[in-house]
Amino acid sequence: MNTIIRHGVAAAERSPSYYTATLNEESAYPVLQGEVQVDVAIIGAGFTGLATALELAERGFKVAVVEARKVGWGASGRNGGQVTGSLSGDAAMGKQMRKRLGDEVDDFIWDLRWRGHAIIKRRVERYGIACDLKHGHLHAAMKPSHMEELKAAHDEALRRGMGDELQLLDRDAVRAHLDSPLYVGALKNSRNMHLHPLNLCLGEARAASSLGALIFEQSPVLQIVHGARPALVTAEGRIVANQVLLAGDVYHRLEPKTLKGMIFPAMGGIVTTAPLGELARQINPQDLAVYDCRFVLDYYRLTADGRLLFGGGANYSGRDSRDIAAELRPGIERTFPCLKDVPIEFQWSCAMGIVINRIPQLGKLSPNVWYCQGYSGHGIATSHVLGEIMAEAMSGELERFDTFAACSHIKVPMGDRLGNPMLALGMWYYRMLERLR
């Protein structure tokens, strides 16, 4: 069980989240000063950057990771903590990738759904990362049409050999798992997981460092210098490398000529209640992570110390909400009436990188400068798979990278000024569709 610990000045450098208050050990990597020479330099110490760095370090590469703030400062350390087989943009992915892969595309996408789980489990076990990793998840239906979708997903998983890990639940069976009146059924999945994402991120940084990777914090990259040996320039230092990976997702403004208008911020809000005591076992006796089937969904789980961590909706203006707790409390009380007026002790936001067609964006900015971004709210598992793919590509194994890089993406003129209103309009459209299905 975690103990709430305030980490003084270091905590002020992070969001005021439950994760910040319960991190195992605050990171304390140096600021980049002077010149460093490595095989691969990576911008961004979130899951994408660290997953790639760890893969490369395991392959014997000399790697440096440079982070503008703190390890796990962005979405990697602030999300809902659910590791699921949901894959953003899978339909669009299938349509585009079929041109390259033919009938093998369905198997390729199926593997993408679950590969991240295996990578994370292996990392946690190999490096002894304490991140409250647990199995068990419900995909919950709020109306009969949702159950039809879950039944189709269940049948496909059975066909692919996951019968021992899945169970389709009716209304009464769901009530045995959740003390909630909302759901008409659910798909229970024991392969899916939930965890403390900031502690996982920090643990992966320590693992990469133990293998010789250099990590620098509080060192914003000001410029990427392209060339035979590209360089990253910061206020006090410079990293020269054979290859560079830009893995900052929606938090950077580098390379605007190529990347502006391709990815947009959506702000998700999360809260955590006070410890619930016996109520925690009452509302969720099997300690499952949950999200529902709506386009704009709610998601929640219990923390290791018996709090309800609850998130929902998204603000597509790209700006933070003024009062996340006030926005999410009605959803908590609607889901669990017994939690009416429950104290909320933490509230924070999380900027998600949204791609218009929802397909993660992998590509090159020049022959030896790569980028990887855009998980549209499904980043924990996906970032680990794509970290593996990027490490393969920079090692000369290009097959999976080329499959993603061949996908077409929509580039919106005027960047965020037009892109965020487009996202807001799109989600309004999907909300309208939700009423009809």
Side-chain angles (χ1 to χ4, degrees), residues 29-34 36 38 40-46 48-50 53 63-72 213-224 231-241 243-249 252 254:
Y29 297 101
V31 172
L32 174 64
Q33 295 179 315
V36 174
V38 294
V40 178
I42 297 173
I43 303 170
T48 302
L50 292 171
V63 183
V65 182
V66 59
E67 165 60 41
R69 305 215 187 187
K70 302 284 287 181
V71 168
L214 304 174
I215 300 175
F216 302 98
E217 294 182 313
Q218 307 291 7
S219 304
V221 172
L222 305 176
Q223 181 185 7
I224 301 173
L232 306 181
V233 180
T234 69
E236 299 181 55
R238 178 183 180 96
I239 303 177
V240 180
Q243 302 183 81
V244 164
L245 171 63
L246 177 49
D249 203 62
H252 71 85
L254 296 166

Side-chain angles (χ1 to χ4, degrees), residues 251-271:
Y251 287 95
H252 71 85
R253 289 295 182 266
L254 296 166
E255 301 292 325
K257 184 176 179 180
T258 302
L259 298 180
K260 185 176 181 180
M262 291 183 64
I263 183 173
F264 307 96
M267 306 304 296
I270 302 177
V271 300

Side-chain angles (χ1 to χ4, degrees), residues 143-159:
K143 53 186 176 180
S145 61
H146 293 166
M147 282 303 295
E148 295 171 10
E149 297 166 13
L150 295 182
K151 177 67 163 55
H154 175 262
D155 291 347
E156 172 66 5
L158 290 184
R159 188 178 72 80

Side-chain angles (χ1 to χ4, degrees), residues 35-42 52-65 208-209 211-216 229 239-244 394-395:
E35 182 170 296
V36 174
Q37 301 212 17
V38 294
D39 298 322
V40 178
I42 297 173
T52 307
L54 189 45
E55 290 282 349
L56 288 168
E58 289 175 343
R59 292 168 179 247
F61 285 75
K62 185 175 181 181
V63 183
V65 182
S209 180
L211 297 178
L214 304 174
I215 300 175
F216 302 98
R229 295 202 76 213
I239 303 177
V240 180
N242 297 326
Q243 302 183 81
V244 164
M394 286 185 279
S395 303

Side-chain angles (χ1 to χ4, degrees), residues 74-319:
S76 297
R78 305 191 203 185
N79 58 70
Q82 300 195 22
V83 184
T84 73
S86 296
L87 190 63
S88 178
D90 53 352
M93 224 181 280
K95 184 177 181 180
Q96 291 206 37
M97 292 179 177
R98 190 172 298 278
K99 301 171 186 176
R100 180 181 179 89
L101 300 178
D103 292 340
E104 295 180 5
V105 68
D106 294 330
D107 293 338
F108 180 83
I109 292 175
W110 183 260
D111 182 67
L112 289 175
R113 291 186 184 281
W114 306 109
R115 178 63 185 157
H117 297 59
I119 293 170
I120 291 168
K121 283 185 65 178
R122 174 171 56 82
R123 293 262 169 81
V124 168
E125 293 167 2
R126 180 173 181 178
Y127 297 106
I129 300 174
C131 59
D132 304 332
L133 179 64
K134 300 174 184 177
H135 284 265
H137 179 266
L138 288 183
H139 194 179
M142 301 186 74
K143 53 186 176 180
S145 61
H146 293 166
M147 282 303 295
E148 295 171 10
E149 297 166 13
L150 295 182
K151 177 67 163 55
H154 175 262
D155 291 347
E156 172 66 5
L158 290 184
R159 188 178 72 80
R160 291 182 174 272
M162 282 184 63
D164 293 341
E165 298 172 287
L166 295 175
Q167 185 181 0
L168 204 59
L169 308 177
D170 62 15
R171 184 189 296 272
D172 291 339
V174 172
R175 288 303 298 265
H177 291 75
L178 297 173
D179 185 19
S180 174
L182 289 186
Y183 308 119
V184 302
L187 181 60
K188 183 179 181 181
N189 185 316
S190 62
R191 182 180 297 188
N192 284 339
M193 305 182 293
H194 53 105
L195 48 76
H196 190 303
L198 181 54
N199 278 334
L200 173 62
C201 201
L202 291 165
E204 290 185 308
R206 286 191 293 272
S209 180
S210 75
L211 297 178
L214 304 174
I215 300 175
F216 302 98
E217 294 182 313
Q218 307 291 7
S219 304
V221 172
L222 305 176
Q223 181 185 7
I224 301 173
V225 180
H226 296 266
R229 295 202 76 213
L232 306 181
V233 180
T234 69
E236 299 181 55
R238 178 183 180 96
I239 303 177
V240 180
N242 297 326
Q243 302 183 81
V244 164
L245 171 63
L246 177 49
D249 203 62
V250 78
Y251 287 95
H252 71 85
R253 289 295 182 266
L254 296 166
E255 301 292 325
K257 184 176 179 180
T258 302
L259 298 180
K260 185 176 181 180
M262 291 183 64
I263 183 173
F264 307 96
M267 306 304 296
I270 302 177
V271 300
T272 309
T273 68
L276 299 177
E278 286 301 312
L279 267 179
R281 184 172 300 180
Q282 175 184 321
I283 65 172
N284 189 351
Q286 296 191 26
D287 198 5
L288 303 171
V290 182
Y291 57 65
D292 64 64
C293 292
R294 293 173 298 172
F295 290 118
V296 182
L297 52 83
D298 291 335
Y299 53 91
Y300 54 88
R301 63 188 184 88
L302 296 175
T303 63
D305 55 353
R307 303 165 184 267
L308 178 68
L309 185 149
F310 191 98
N315 175 355
Y316 289 90
S317 72
R319 297 185 296 271

